[in-house]
Every structure is written in structure tokens, then in C-alpha cells.
Amino acid sequence: MPPSSPADDISAAELLLTLEPPDDSGAQTLDRYDWQAAMAAADGLRLLLDSMDDAGPLGEDESRRVVCEYHEDWAAVDGEHAEIVSGKHRDPSFGAYTTVNSLLTAGGLAHLFARWCALQEKVTCRLVTTAGLGSGKPPQKLEAATQALRKQRQGDLPLVIDDKHLEAVGEFTQGLLAHADGLPEDWGDSAKAVPPTPTAAQHDQAVRFLSMLSLSHGQPQRSVLPYAAPSMYVRPVLVRMGLPDDIADEVWEAVLGLFRTRMRAAGPRPQAGLPNVLAHRLGSPLPGAVQMDRELAGRIVTIADIHIAIEVAVAAPNAYRPLPRVTLLNRMGVKMAVGDCTDNSIERAEQLRKDHEELWRIRVAVDPEARAEQNKLRRALLRISDNATQTVATPDHAWGTDLWRELQSQIDAMGPDSWTDLLDSDLRLGGICELANRCQVWFSTRFDIDAEMARLRAERGIAA
């Protein structure tokens, strides 16, 4: 057990709020760690779920909350209890943790241990990471040791290391000595060339830490989390609340938005920008947990905040959906949109089409024989579109953008002698756009263009 001190009557939650961390744990760098905000949001949703009964209402005295970027990446608080969490996203190229040292460094356990010591061993700790633990490697054995020690602690039993866990625990303790910066003074200086053998006190403290540590590895990668999170984290809460789960995506965006803001310490503050007046007058005591709770309001997400965010998303789901794409409502524009052409390409194509049509409208009006020349041009452009389509068309993905580039390339490649002097390459491309509007050129596999245009008109409330 840790040595007694005058602060033994202070709870873990009070320590978390009143003890100032030595660094800011990266509140200014959240933009690089959106994944951490998502995993903190998952913790917040779990706290909300645990606060509800089957009928779904919140208790009036709920104190569950998440404190972002304070001591560690985030902390979960429930009454007097607190858990600090280190979130480590590792790309697939990282592989798995294969050594205890990699857990201490890349996994952040050395820093987590330091903060646990500073918080007088009263908080539980958790590592949340995308990487796994190497099969049969020391990290797996260390995890088995943490599970065994946790059962002993929860059963109020003496913490005893089984022989099969002795090596992993010893390696962890020795590793702490090699990364002693930020640890209590009795852990020494990691700058020493050869770390000393751990003392009995150091070994016992490491054992106590492991009994309060959880390893949550193999979490979803950043690339898949936006798609997985609504099902994994939101739907259970919606079911408990009796709400439809078909808006899980919108609810996830609403809740995640809370945590993105709080991770930057940018949440609302009760005192707004008012200055601190007579805040440190003579005889004033150190700030307590209640005052620090107010000071940290910009970093805190309560379960009431999450509950309100869910209700807002349910009431106005469109506010959390991507803005719909406004497709140009003519045959050419719809075809290019289906082919996944960019909006800029579609706008350029529409302008070129209009310019091409205006040129030939004037020419045919003043020279009736120009119609034969126009028809000859159309046949040439159809041949180019046919060749270009055969070059780029594929069933694997949308190929409209590839076709647009190929058309421009083939038109540019033909010499000026192939065209009337009035037509530059842009106007030739405009001719292709006119043919697309006449349903003679497609930027994807053929589909019912009239039905799609009718659907888009109805979606926008435009009369047919």
C-alpha cells in the first residue's frame, strides 16, 4: 500500500481536478489527433449508457463526465472515482507491440505511470490503442499479469505475483527505471548508462500500478472509425433511450463535435472572458475541486451535455449530415455527376457547351451550308468520344473524370488542320458537351436519365 500522507482523505476525482499537471498533455495539438476525440466520445457515450435505466431517464444527481486533455489525453470521472486514459493511434505499418519497452514508450505507459504516481495512486489507468499485442510476446504476458492483479485488488486480496507473471512484471519495473524522467525522486535518473536493479519499494509500486491498469488494444483505425463508430458506440445508447437507430450517424457527429471542441479546451466557460479580480487575495486558500471544475469547464463534457447533443441531433438530423451536392439539372450535368466528375469540371463543361452552341447558332443563321460542316464535326467528335471511352471505361470505379481528361487530351492531340479555323480546343470540347446533352455521349454506363432528372427535381421541390 502507498505510504500514508495528510492528503489520504482526498478522493481521486478531487486530485484530478486540483493537482496541476506538469504539461498540458497536448490540448493545442488536438487537430492532429481527431481519433483521440472519437475514442473519448466513445467513453462519454458509455458513461451515459451506464447512467440510464431501461426507461432511459438520467438521474438528477449524475456527476459522470469526461475531462479532456488534463493529466492525460482524457479522464473519465464518476463521483469520487476517476480513470486517466492514454490514447495512442498507431498506423497499420506499426504492427503490434512486441516488447514491454514499446508499451512504455510508443504506448505511453511510462507517462501514464508518472501521472498515476502524481495523483497519489488513487486513479485507475487505461491505455487505448489501435495496435495489438504481439502473440506470445512479453506485452501479452504483461496483460495477463494486469488481469490477475486486478482480480486480486478487486477482491481486496494481497497483490501477489504468480511465477508465470514474474518475468513480465520484472521487465516492466526495470523498463520504468530506464524511463525514470518525470517519475518520483526515488526512481532515480534515467540518464544513467545502466539502470540499477529495482528496489523492493519500486517493485511493489509497479505492481500496484499494474493492478489498476487496463489495456484496450486493437481499437478501430482512424480510417474506419467514422464508419464503425455509429454502430459500435451510438446504437446501444439510442436503443436504451428508445430512439430510432437509423440516425446513429447524425448522433455520432453531434457527440463527436462536443469532444472535438473540448479537446481544444474551447468549450463554453461560465465566466466567459471576464478577468480574475481579487482571485489571489491574502489569506485565500488553494482552489478546491468545485472551483477547479469551473475553471476546467472548457475541457469537460458531462453526460448531460451528451444527452442534449443526442436530443438536438434527433430533432434536427439534417444539421449533422453532409451538405447535399447540387447537380446541374440538364442531361450533361447529371451524366457527369453520375460519372463522379468534379463540380468545377461540370461548370466548365456547361460554359463550353453554351459557347459551342452559340457559335453554330450564329454560323448556321448566316450560312445555310454551315449545317453540313457542323454535322461533319459531330461525327468526328463522336469518333473521339468512342475511342476515349474504350480507353478509360472500367466496371471497377466511376470513370467520368478519366474520360473528361482523355477527351481533352485526344482533342489537343489532333492538329489544327482537322478543324475549322473558328474552333479552338475548348470549343471542340464544348461540342462533346453538346453531344452529351443530346444523350449521344455518356460519362458512365447508360442509365435512365429522365428518371434521374425527375428524382432530382422532386428532391428540390421543382415542378416537372
Side-chain angles (χ1 to χ4, degrees):
M1 295 297 294
S4 62
S5 70
D8 278 347
D9 58 342
I10 299 179
S11 70
E14 288 175 320
L15 273 172
L16 179 80
L17 297 173
T18 57
L19 182 64
E20 185 176 349
D23 55 53
D24 202 21
S25 297
Q28 292 80 16
T29 59
L30 170 71
D31 288 340
R32 299 199 310 256
Y33 301 110
D34 195 60
W35 177 86
Q36 289 184 349
M39 301 312 295
D43 278 13
L45 287 165
R46 178 54 191 263
L47 289 176
L48 175 62
L49 183 69
D50 290 345
S51 72
M52 297 187 293
D53 58 22
D54 291 336
L58 290 168
E60 295 181 359
D61 59 346
E62 274 300 339
S63 62
R64 292 181 175 93
R65 58 201 186 278
V66 176
V67 183
C68 300
E69 294 290 355
Y70 198 68
H71 287 291
E72 267 295 345
D73 296 314
W74 68 91
V77 179
D78 181 5
E80 295 185 344
H81 305 284
E83 179 178 65
I84 56 175
V85 187
S86 176
K88 299 297 181 186
H89 184 279
R90 294 292 174 251
D91 291 324
S93 59
F94 176 84
Y97 297 101
T98 57
T99 65
V100 170
N101 185 64
S102 66
L103 279 176
L104 287 164
T105 54
L109 288 192
H111 187 271
L112 196 60
F113 178 79
R115 301 316 307 145
W116 175 78
C117 291
L119 293 166
Q120 300 182 23
E121 306 187 10
K122 292 193 174 185
V123 296
T124 53
C125 306
R126 181 157 45 102
L127 168 63
V128 176
T129 181
T130 54
L133 306 182
S135 178
K137 301 293 184 179
Q140 272 197 348
K141 298 175 182 178
L142 184 67
E143 182 183 36
T146 65
Q147 293 168 350
L149 290 168
R150 187 185 313 125
K151 290 180 180 178
Q152 295 175 12
R153 174 176 61 81
Q154 292 175 330
D156 202 21
L157 299 173
L159 299 180
V160 179
I161 304 298
D162 189 278
D163 289 343
K164 62 182 177 182
H165 301 142
L166 196 58
E167 182 180 356
V169 173
E171 188 174 348
F172 176 78
T173 309
Q174 187 69 50
L176 286 174
L177 281 171
H179 302 88
D181 291 340
L183 298 188
E185 292 182 1
D186 57 358
W187 279 85
D189 182 2
S190 63
K192 293 181 179 179
V194 180
T197 301
T199 65
Q202 290 169 344
H203 181 270
D204 291 344
Q205 190 174 31
V207 168
R208 291 195 299 272
F209 171 74
L210 292 174
S211 74
M212 303 181 80
L213 173 67
S214 300
L215 301 179
S216 182
H217 50 84
Q219 296 303 305
Q221 291 280 339
R222 178 177 48 196
S223 58
V224 303
L225 188 59
Y227 309 100
S231 295
M232 295 176 64
Y233 309 138
V234 177
R235 282 197 168 86
V237 177
L238 295 179
V239 170
R240 178 69 63 85
M241 296 175 68
L243 296 172
D245 63 0
D246 60 351
I247 56 168
D249 291 285
E250 291 80 3
V251 170
W252 173 246
E253 279 303 314
V255 174
L256 180 56
L258 281 176
F259 283 85
R260 284 178 176 142
T261 302
R262 301 302 200 274
M263 283 282 195
R264 293 193 297 270
R269 297 172 179 271
Q271 73 276 18
L274 290 171
N276 291 325
V277 180
L278 292 174
H280 312 295
R281 67 189 74 188
L282 292 176
S284 60
L286 291 173
V290 174
Q291 183 177 346
M292 287 303 299
D293 197 284
R294 294 195 190 101
E295 293 292 330
L296 295 173
R299 299 173 183 258
I300 293 175
V301 183
T302 67
I303 58 172
D305 294 333
I306 300 173
H307 193 266
I308 292 171
I310 292 174
E311 290 181 330
V312 171
V314 171
N318 285 335
Y320 299 95
R321 291 170 180 158
L323 292 174
R325 184 179 185 183
V326 181
T327 303
L328 182 66
L329 271 180
N330 62 23
R331 287 181 171 81
M332 181 208 70
V334 172
K335 287 178 181 180
M336 292 184 73
V338 171
D340 206 23
C341 293
T342 67
D343 292 334
N344 286 345
S345 294
I346 296 174
E347 291 296 332
R348 179 180 174 226
E350 176 65 3
Q351 184 61 52
L352 295 180
R353 182 187 70 81
K354 290 179 178 179
D355 292 346
H356 181 90
E357 287 186 343
E358 178 68 9
L359 169 70
W360 284 104
R361 184 186 65 79
I362 295 173
R363 287 203 63 191
V364 170
V366 300
D367 182 7
E369 295 183 1
R371 183 70 69 184
E373 186 178 352
Q374 184 183 27
N375 290 334
K376 179 181 178 182
L377 172 65
R378 285 173 176 166
R379 290 192 297 271
L381 294 175
L382 285 172
R383 183 176 69 253
I384 289 174
S385 68
D386 182 21
N387 293 337
T389 302
Q390 293 188 48
T391 300
V392 303
T394 172
D396 297 335
H397 60 271
W399 42 269
T401 297
D402 295 334
L403 178 61
W404 182 248
R405 294 196 188 101
E406 183 66 20
L407 287 169
Q408 183 71 75
S409 177
Q410 291 199 21
I411 287 175
D412 289 342
M414 299 186 69
D417 295 340
S418 305
W419 312 95
T420 174
D421 293 341
L422 295 177
L423 291 176
D424 58 21
S425 60
D426 280 344
L427 287 174
R428 301 167 201 166
L429 190 59
I432 296 283
C433 299
E434 180 198 11
L435 292 172
N437 211 44
R438 293 159 59 100
C439 282
Q440 292 179 282
V441 172
W442 296 79
F443 289 82
S444 66
T445 304
R446 185 185 294 268
F447 59 93
D448 190 337
I449 183 68
D450 292 328
E452 178 62 11
M453 291 184 66
R455 183 189 69 80
L456 290 171
R457 288 194 183 97
E459 194 176 81
R460 300 181 199 177
I462 300 174

